[in-house]
Amino acid sequence: MRQMEEVEVRLAGRLAELRVERGWSLEELASHSGISRSTLSRLERGEISPTAALLGRLCAVYGRTMSRLLAEVEAEPPQLVRAGAQAVFRDEESGFVRRSVSPPHPGMRGEVVEGRLRPGADISYDASPVPGLEQHIWVLEGAVEITANGHTHTVEAGDCLRFRLWGPSRFRCPGPDPVRYALLIVLP
């Protein structure tokens, strides 16, 4: 099968998944999108290729950009990312280092991140990037103070804190040693 045909098959499947996730029948989607039921059915079965205009209408109904929809159907990313290839973000000013441990995948809900803060580092976030984001913070070395949902917790080596984040949060390394922790993120 050609690579383009594989993408079209995955796109057809993803479009069907989006409709089912909303609990809509083909008739309901036709009503929301202005696209005929028969065209939608043929599209979801992969019998026809969508035009840009048709995809644009479906993206509007599903509240997605076309680039996001297409990213959701790209070829599967690698299942294994070696340590040396993991993305690292460094904020020298704040003393924060973030390493994306999990292989990236737009369709997965979970992610593993390694965080490091130097003593005295204090990072605040105004809001959760996604309301209700589930976080598990397992401290591997040192200690960190975490404020989430109005409560402050001191989490030390071996401890694990779990919460759903609805508002601002703060990570502070009280020292005297740096802290290293695993952050497991699960989208709602």
Side-chain angles (χ1 to χ4, degrees):
M1 186 182 294
R2 288 183 13 244
Q3 185 177 2
M4 189 58 189
E5 290 172 348
E6 291 174 18
V7 170
E8 289 175 2
V9 167
R10 287 193 302 270
L11 179 58
R14 183 63 183 137
L15 290 171
E17 288 172 1
L18 288 168
R19 179 180 57 80
V20 170
E21 285 171 7
R22 283 159 180 74
W24 292 344
S25 66
L26 283 170
E27 290 81 14
E28 289 170 307
L29 179 56
S31 173
H32 291 295
S33 67
I35 301 167
S36 75
R37 180 194 181 288
S38 64
T39 298
L40 291 168
S41 177
R42 293 181 67 213
L43 179 64
E44 288 184 5
R45 290 193 316 263
E47 295 175 0
I48 60 171
S49 297
T51 64
L54 188 133
L55 274 184
R57 288 162 82 181
L58 290 172
C59 285
V61 168
Y62 292 132
R64 281 174 162 61
T65 63
M66 196 173 303
S67 60
R68 177 176 172 199
L69 176 64
L70 295 174
E72 291 174 358
V73 298
E74 287 179 353
E76 279 291 310
Q79 292 183 321
L80 173 67
V81 176
R82 301 283 179 201
Q86 294 168 355
V88 177
F89 167 79
R90 295 177 192 281
D91 181 350
E92 299 299 336
E93 184 176 322
S94 69
F96 176 55
V97 177
R98 179 189 195 279
R99 183 168 58 103
S100 294
V101 178
S102 298
H105 191 293
M108 297 289 194
R109 296 176 14 156
E111 179 180 353
V112 179
V113 172
E114 177 190 36
R116 293 176 183 258
L117 293 170
R118 69 176 177 232
D122 194 338
I123 311 293
S124 293
Y125 300 96
D126 294 334
S128 175
V130 176
L133 185 68
E134 183 179 348
Q135 295 188 19
H136 301 248
I137 300 159
W138 179 28
V139 175
L140 305 170
E141 300 170 6
V144 62
E145 286 181 3
I146 298 170
T147 303
N149 303 319
H151 301 311
T152 301
H153 307 272
T154 300
V155 188
E156 299 176 342
D159 296 347
C160 185
L161 173 67
R162 177 180 67 190
F163 57 89
R164 286 194 181 274
L165 186 60
W166 298 99
S169 62
R170 178 180 175 203
F171 289 63
R172 187 177 85 78
C173 179
D177 298 315
V179 64
R180 185 172 72 93
Y181 57 89
L183 170 62
L184 291 81
I185 301 168
V186 182
L187 291 170

